[in-house]
Amino acid sequence: MNGEEKIDAKDFTTKVSQSSSSINLHIDAFKLGRMPGNVTINANNIVLNPNETF
């Protein structure tokens, strides 16, 4: 971005749990490049379609 080289993403752990027919996904806080702050991902009650998409 802004003419700078791409910064590699670091590896992170994804936590997945299932409750009946829905899936919960959680990724702990991580930093993107040199941006200030962190990103946390929580996706709850994901329902898979019959073709395995959501």
Side-chain angles (χ1 to χ4, degrees):
M1 195 168 191
N2 297 328
E4 295 180 18
E5 291 184 28
K6 177 181 156 189
I7 299 170
D8 291 334
K10 82 172 206 177
D11 292 336
F12 52 86
T13 302
T14 305
K15 298 172 190 159
V16 179
S17 61
Q18 184 175 1
S19 174
S20 297
S21 61
S22 67
I23 296 172
N24 299 319
L25 172 82
H26 173 78
I27 300 175
D28 288 333
F30 63 97
K31 187 169 180 61
L32 289 174
R34 294 186 194 117
M35 291 175 43
N38 294 312
V39 175
T40 301
I41 299 173
N42 285 305
N44 296 315
N45 299 318
I46 301 169
V47 177
L48 289 178
N49 297 318
N51 65 355
E52 299 182 359
T53 62
F54 51 89

